[in-house]
Amino acid sequence: MRQAGRYMPEYQALKAQYSFLEICRKPEIAAKATMDAFNYLRPDAAIIFSDIMIPALAMGLELDFAPGPKLNRAIQTHDDVVSLKRPEPAKDLDFVMNAIQLTRAQLPSSASLIGFVGAPLTLAAYLAEGAPSKNWVGFKETLYDRQSAFEALLERCVEAVTKHALAQVEAGCDAIQLFDTNAGMLHPLELERFALASAGDVIAALREKVDVPIIYFARNVGAHLETVGARTKADVLGIDWSLQMRSAADRLQSHAVMGNLDPTVLFASEDVVEKRTLALLEEMKGRPGHIFNLGHGVLPKTPPPNARKIIETIRSFHSVEE
Ligand code: CP3
């Protein structure tokens, strides 16, 4: 997650020349951001360079990053929802699809390219709030107080992210990840009714049209993992670093699992990075369907050699095992 993030000098060099949104909108530069990280780390899969908020542009909103996403207006009432444009990502967001084609052409055929969207609840939370927030009161107030407006907004988000994900697969992505960063801030009743139901709708709609693995990552939903698996029916569930990976996997028999090294381990010495990577590999030994990953994104200021150390450690562990 966040392979191409702000911790790499190659990315800093791009940022000295272009804003984040400019990088997203210039397919050659977006592909370079992905490929610089891929070439340094050599993982099994690369993630496209974009952001979960990009579909807001196709819904007729103005978007800026400072560095978090900021909209020109928040969507909190029925009239706000009705004013949103029906997105046509293949046309409105053609720069994303062009970046995917360029990246796919540069990646070795053995590497997978992951496309992504925000899950509907998380996109709706950002649209209702207008920007990231500490307590997300604008989002919660809309959800609790203007429930029919919030439901209408969620429906528009289901439409926007389904279309955007489909366009990404058509452009050459081998898998789709839904990020539901905000799901875990809901009460269990709202988690199921709003976050899991809408993510499940997107996943079901994608399955009707394309045959790629679908990954669902929600943060802070450890108490409800079985429900998350059953309601979303994702092929792969991302697990955050608050859980013991093996017991999370045991609770999700029929799903592959992805995760879950604590991203702050990468600030420790190389020795600790290696030990914690090996410990996780040992813990998951014999459990088919484990995709090694961090339990959330790579943080700014992470030393790049430690990110590479994880991948080298996994490769030598598996070559000894074989
Ligand atoms: O590996 C990659 O870098 C791939 C691209 C990627 C970005 N954002 C680029 C980005 C991905 C997969 C995302 C997902 C994303 N974006 C999520 C879900 C994952 C998660 O972290 O929970 C969320 C909630 C967002 C929204 C967002 N975009 C925030 C909150 C921020 C600012 C704070 C932060 O964590 O960086 C962004 C900006 C952003 N998106 C940057 C990057 C590289 C930093 C921009 C900069 O360089 O200034």
Side-chain angles (χ1 to χ4, degrees), residues 197-219:
S198 60
D201 287 348
V202 173
I203 292 171
L206 293 178
R207 287 246 169 77
E208 273 183 22
K209 299 226 163 110
V210 290
D211 183 22
V212 297
I214 301 171
I215 309 163
Y216 178 73
F217 172 78
R219 266 178 84 192

Side-chain angles (χ1 to χ4, degrees), residues 2-6 11 15 20 47-52 65 67-69 116 126 179 181 296:
R2 295 277 179 99
Q3 291 163 352
R6 292 170 286 178
Y11 178 70
K15 275 299 293 286
F20 173 68
I47 191 158
I48 61 158
F49 193 85
S50 186
D51 194 83
I52 61 159
F65 285 84
F116 72 91
Y126 274 88
F179 284 99
T181 314
H296 200 200

Side-chain angles (χ1 to χ4, degrees), residues 3-137:
Q3 291 163 352
R6 292 170 286 178
Y7 69 106
M8 288 186 55
E10 291 83 353
Y11 178 70
Q12 300 301 342
L14 290 179
K15 275 299 293 286
Q17 243 183 307
Y18 307 102
S19 72
F20 173 68
L21 204 48
E22 281 172 336
I23 302 176
C24 291
R25 299 187 89 133
K26 290 181 192 288
E28 292 81 13
I29 310 299
K32 181 172 169 13
T34 302
M35 289 311 298
D36 284 346
F38 179 83
N39 288 330
Y40 180 74
L41 297 169
R42 288 277 152 185
D44 294 326
I47 191 158
I48 61 158
F49 193 85
S50 186
D51 194 83
I52 61 159
M53 290 306 291
I54 293 295
L57 295 169
M59 298 167 101
L61 296 170
E62 286 168 32
L63 173 67
D64 208 353
F65 285 84
K70 272 199 172 47
L71 295 170
N72 58 326
R73 60 194 176 96
I75 307 300
Q76 301 189 332
T77 66
H78 234 285
D79 286 350
D80 292 337
V81 176
V82 171
S83 76
L84 291 172
K85 194 172 119 27
R86 299 272 177 184
E88 291 179 60
K91 194 173 100 220
D92 304 332
L93 307 177
D94 60 342
F95 53 91
V96 178
M97 288 13 111
N98 293 338
I100 290 168
Q101 284 164 356
L102 288 177
T103 309
R104 185 63 272 178
Q106 290 170 51
L107 278 175
S109 57
S110 59
S112 303
L113 182 58
I114 304 173
F116 72 91
V117 288
L121 184 278
T122 290
L123 179 58
Y126 274 88
L127 294 181
E129 191 74 34
S133 152
K134 185 156 178 281
N135 295 317
W136 295 85
V137 171

Side-chain angles (χ1 to χ4, degrees), residues 217 219 239-244 260-264 294-296:
F217 172 78
R219 266 178 84 192
I239 306 294
D240 72 27
W241 46 267
S242 66
L243 299 178
Q244 189 75 41
N260 76 343
L261 197 69
D262 178 352
T264 58
L294 300 182
H296 200 200

